[in-house]
Amino acid sequence: MRVLLVNMPWSPIDLPSLALGILKRSVDERVPHAEAEVLHANLEFTDWITARTEFTADDYEYYALSSYFMGCGDWVFSSALYDDPGWREEEFTEAMRGKLRKSRLRMSHELHRLAPDFVGEIARRIVEYAPDVVGFTSTFQQNTAALAAARHVKRLAPHIVTVMGGANCDAEQGAALHRNFPFVDHVIRGEGEEAFPRLLTALAEGADLNTVPGLCHRDADGACAVNPMASAPLPPATILAPDYSGYFERLGGSVARNWVEPKLVVEGARGCWWGEKHHCTFCGLNGSFMQFRSKSPDTFYDEIMELARRHRVLDMYVVDNILDMGYLSTVLPRVIESGYDLRLHIEIKANMRRGQLRTLADAGLIYVQPGIESLNNRVLDLMDKGVSGCQNVRMLRDGAETGLSVSWNYLHGFPGETAEDYDPVIGQIPALEHLDPPVDLSARIAIERFSPYFNRPELGFSGLRPEAHYRVAGGGTVRPAYVFEAPERGIGEPTVTALNDALGLWKKHHADARLTQADLGDRIVLVSRRRTFDWRTLELTDPYELAVFRLLDQPHTASALARKASARVPGDARPESAVQELLDRWLALGVVFTDGGSYVHIAPSAVNEDLLRLDFMRHRHAVPAPEAPGGEEPAGLLDSPRQTVQV
């Protein structure tokens, strides 16, 4: 049996498909007399379209990722799906009015016009391969392109069995897709590495398809039949490592090789251990199975090392929704000792401690996504995130100190939030400009299928309807939707504008801002260069204040600080009011962040170059400077006395 697995646009071009890598290996190892190949149609499209338009790497990223919630990538291929190069152009233009700049709108229309030609060519390529079965994976904005290709393949060669699977086919989405697109013979819902080989085996043997879990198929009358999904997720021991044969070779021959640095995709765990206990209200990930399960440390370590050796690639993207905390003491120390200079991207929980973050950095997990989403306690409680605003700021601080690049988003629009939840944070954002800003301005939350907001109207959202782009790209109600329109909740436009103005300035000035602290034992010296603060150095020498500052490494209330500092400095018991006065002073200087009655300092420890600069500055202030002609200060001095603050 010949099986061709197809990765259509808009799958990322810097990553091989994990899903198809796993399916290829599962077919080769688990289906007798079958072999699978992968067609990297996303790279084929890149070469095809750049030969015909001024298409760029930024364009691909936009249609693959940035425009997801507007559906631009899906609409591009709707002309191929519905055999109409002019499919709903006016509706698309109207829907995108004010959202797309003119050049992007022109490119969208041009791609839309050309998409049928590409799909026709890729379908002919598929048929020329002469597969018995062709499988399409569909995630994010691949749905329309995959459906269009399946339709054209079926038209050219009705005997070829067409199958779709992936995140866009989960649960009721898969059933709706199968019901509405008869040229798709089968849809795999849920984890495919068990169901897909069983489907192939049943097809080869003429066996009963009703035994394949989660499968959508057609009965003798051509009607859609939907098998029950598996009652439990796959055990981690049965999750295969991917086979990425062919991807790097194909990328090397593509124009995309000049656009991206390729990365490997690795998987240690599925599900979310936090979501099992507290499902974040806006999160629609892990639709069918939230249960957290992870591969054994030995298995995961061996997979990482084998993929790095085989493909000679050190950049890796870890797709786990959340890090298995056990890996901190099992997998990661072995990675550190391996001698491989890996650079890994991973999602973590925001309340990890500095020592744990240092382990991540030492193991090469230098790109982290901690799911911060907000810096306010009350809004975070509405999300059911299980962290506080001060803990999120501490993550940003400790990430900067340990050399991690922290990627995060700011979200708003939660039922029950008010301007009073945002105003204090907005006022403190200038003090945070030395820390990693969010990747973009604040965005109103989207209501995703499978999220608590979708499943439980009592949480604040009712009367949901599919986002408009589904109606524009998918022909009304035939497309199963993942993102839904809902009435706006939470803060109004004045607060949103104020928040985004502050975030915009954070992003603009981040590269030039700095705040560090050096704990020298008998004193702590802070160095600041931030646009809204006119001091440059701050020296703490009072033993009690040193104790308070060190306690602020972790979030504390004023009362807890007063109690603990008095215990650390015998004979110097100060009332809570005195501690509060100190905190207020530090807050005005931008040294601490406060939220929900707690405080945390925001100064990462100085790296070596900061320490050298501190020494230089200390000597500069200790030795009287020569007077310049006319009594002017000599040029080139780093600081002036008025910018040095002693406390």
Side-chain angles (χ1 to χ4, degrees):
M1 175 181 287
R2 290 169 63 84
V3 179
L4 185 62
L5 304 171
V6 183
N7 191 29
M8 291 293 288
W10 298 96
S11 177
I13 53 179
D14 60 335
L15 306 171
S17 169
L18 175 68
L20 297 189
I22 292 175
L23 288 182
K24 172 175 167 51
R25 188 173 174 196
S26 67
V27 171
D28 292 345
E29 295 186 4
R30 295 176 175 175
V31 183
H33 312 296
E35 61 178 2
E37 294 293 335
V38 176
L39 175 60
H40 305 284
N42 55 338
L43 295 174
E44 299 291 339
F45 176 75
T46 301
D47 293 341
W48 189 91
I49 198 65
T50 52
R52 292 162 175 81
T53 70
E54 298 299 320
F55 193 82
T56 67
D58 288 341
D59 290 324
Y60 195 97
E61 191 279 337
Y62 180 80
Y63 292 105
L65 297 173
S66 299
S67 68
Y68 173 64
F69 290 105
M70 293 188 291
C72 295
D74 266 323
W75 181 77
V76 161
F77 282 94
S78 63
S79 55
L81 175 58
Y82 295 104
D83 290 327
D84 182 358
W87 174 262
R88 299 201 165 182
E89 288 186 329
E90 291 184 4
E91 292 94 329
F92 177 78
T93 301
E94 181 61 29
M96 295 299 113
R97 191 179 304 278
K99 299 178 181 179
L100 297 184
R101 61 179 184 266
K102 290 182 179 179
S103 59
R104 186 73 73 191
L105 187 61
R106 285 196 301 269
M107 175 62 76
S108 298
H109 280 285
E110 186 172 15
L111 297 177
H112 187 256
R113 178 177 57 81
L114 293 172
D117 293 338
F118 170 75
V119 170
E121 288 193 23
I122 208 70
R124 288 189 290 273
R125 286 271 306 277
I126 292 170
V127 172
E128 288 171 2
Y129 180 79
D132 300 292
V133 176
V134 57
F136 297 91
T137 185
S138 181
T139 303
F140 295 117
Q141 294 197 79
Q142 284 182 288
N143 233 14
T144 306
L147 286 167
R151 181 174 189 172
H152 281 68
V153 166
K154 206 66 176 175
R155 180 180 295 163
L156 293 172
H159 64 280
I160 296 177
V161 177
T162 53
V163 185
M164 280 188 67
N168 287 334
C169 300
D170 200 9
E172 59 265 30
Q173 288 180 288
L177 187 150
H178 186 257
R179 182 173 60 251
N180 291 309
F181 297 101
F183 48 82
V184 179
D185 295 318
H186 306 286
V187 172
I188 301 285
R189 303 181 303 152
E191 297 170 297
E193 56 262 63
E194 179 183 12
F196 189 57
R198 288 180 62 174
L199 169 63
L200 297 179
T201 301
L203 291 173
E205 298 176 352
D208 185 5
L209 296 180
N210 291 305
T211 62
V212 181
L215 180 69
C216 300
H217 55 104
R218 305 196 188 278
D219 60 23
D221 298 324
C224 176
V226 180
N227 296 350
M229 295 186 66
S231 58
L234 292 176
T238 66
I239 300 174
L240 296 174
D243 181 348
Y244 292 139
S245 300
Y247 165 76
F248 292 97
E249 294 80 1
R250 180 63 190 87
L251 178 64
S254 169
V255 297
R257 72 185 182 279
N258 301 315
W259 292 357
V260 297
E261 290 291 335
K263 305 172 188 67
L264 289 161
V265 187
V266 296
E267 179 184 38
R270 294 180 182 175
C272 179
W273 50 260
W274 175 255
E276 284 188 87
K277 300 177 292 184
H278 299 275
H279 191 171
C280 298
T281 53
F282 63 91
C283 178
L285 299 177
N286 304 297
S288 296
F289 295 116
M290 182 65 73
Q291 295 97 313
F292 184 77
R293 62 271 192 208
S294 60
K295 295 176 180 177
S296 75
D298 287 343
T299 297
F300 189 38
Y301 173 79
D302 289 343
E303 287 182 12
I304 292 173
M305 293 297 110
E306 174 58 25
L307 285 169
R309 283 191 292 264
R310 179 183 304 171
H311 299 291
R312 305 178 68 82
V313 173
L314 297 176
D315 276 322
M316 295 188 179
Y317 188 87
V318 186
V319 298
D320 304 2
N321 290 156
I322 194 167
L323 173 70
D324 182 340
M325 298 298 286
Y327 287 165
L328 286 165
S329 59
T330 55
V331 176
L332 299 190
R334 295 180 66 185
V335 171
I336 295 170
E337 295 169 0
S338 71
Y340 281 70
D341 184 20
L342 298 179
R343 295 177 296 277
L344 296 94
H345 310 233
I346 195 167
E347 295 191 27
I348 60 175
K349 193 137 173 40
N351 59 359
M352 291 182 68
R353 299 299 181 94
R354 183 186 292 107
Q356 296 171 325
L357 297 178
R358 189 165 289 115
T359 298
L360 296 182
D362 290 344
L365 284 86
I366 56 176
Y367 303 100
V368 297
Q369 185 174 341
I372 289 175
E373 271 89 48
S374 180
L375 302 181
N376 174 261
N377 279 4
R378 188 166 175 277
V379 177
L380 289 163
D381 286 344
L382 292 173
M383 301 182 199
D384 209 0
K385 292 290 290 186
V387 293
S388 69
C390 283
Q391 285 177 314
N392 281 342
V393 169
R394 185 195 67 187
M395 158 60 69
L396 295 174
R397 181 202 70 196
D398 291 350
E401 181 174 320
T402 53
L404 299 176
S405 177
V406 181
S407 176
W408 63 288
N409 299 302
Y410 212 115
L411 301 178
H412 66 268
F414 297 91
E417 69 181 14
T418 67
E420 287 71 26
D421 299 320
Y422 286 82
D423 291 342
V425 173
I426 293 170
Q428 295 181 84
I429 284 177
L432 305 176
E433 288 181 356
H434 60 293
L435 304 177
D436 280 338
V439 296
D440 209 338
L441 301 182
S442 178
R444 190 169 293 277
I445 59 168
I447 307 304
E448 300 177 349
R449 187 183 293 274
F450 308 120
S451 70
Y453 278 145
F454 178 81
N455 291 323
R456 297 171 57 194
E458 69 272 16
L459 293 178
F461 293 100
S462 59
L464 300 176
R465 57 184 304 210
E467 282 281 2
H469 65 77
Y470 291 103
R471 298 189 292 276
V472 174
T477 60
V478 299
R479 284 288 309 282
Y482 180 75
V483 184
F484 293 82
E485 293 177 350
E488 290 188 357
R489 301 287 188 246
I491 57 175
E493 285 309 309
T495 304
V496 173
T497 299
L499 174 62
N500 281 333
D501 287 346
L503 295 179
L505 290 171
W506 186 353
K507 292 171 65 64
K508 178 180 178 180
H509 295 286
H510 167 64
D512 297 323
R514 65 191 293 262
L515 173 66
T516 59
Q517 56 97 2
D519 192 332
L520 306 176
D522 63 338
R523 64 190 185 278
I524 293 175
V525 181
L526 296 100
V527 176
S528 172
R529 185 177 66 232
R530 292 167 294 168
R531 62 186 178 86
T532 58
F533 299 92
D534 62 1
W535 63 272
R536 289 295 182 91
T537 61
L538 171 66
E539 187 166 335
L540 310 181
T541 57
D542 178 86
Y544 190 91
E545 294 181 1
L546 291 174
V548 172
F549 186 86
R550 288 166 181 150
L551 286 167
L552 286 171
D553 183 67
Q554 303 299 322
H556 281 83
T557 63
S559 60
L561 288 169
R563 183 179 68 256
K564 293 182 180 181
S566 297
R568 291 192 177 191
V569 187
D572 191 356
R574 302 184 189 181
E576 180 181 335
S577 60
V579 174
Q580 188 62 59
E581 289 179 6
L582 177 63
L583 292 172
D584 291 342
R585 189 160 72 249
W586 286 350
L587 188 64
L589 293 171
V591 173
V592 299
F593 176 87
T594 184
D595 181 64
S598 290
Y599 295 79
V600 65
H601 84 71
I602 58 175
S605 291
V607 295
N608 289 340
E609 62 190 40
D610 294 320
L611 292 173
L612 290 173
R613 183 172 297 184
L614 278 173
D615 286 341
F616 176 82
M617 292 169 65
R618 179 171 298 281
H619 290 306
R620 209 284 274 173
H621 289 303
V623 178
E627 186 173 303
E632 296 178 356
E633 187 178 43
L637 296 180
L638 291 176
D639 298 293
S640 63
R642 72 172 181 83
Q643 294 171 312
T644 302
V645 181
Q646 290 193 337
V647 178

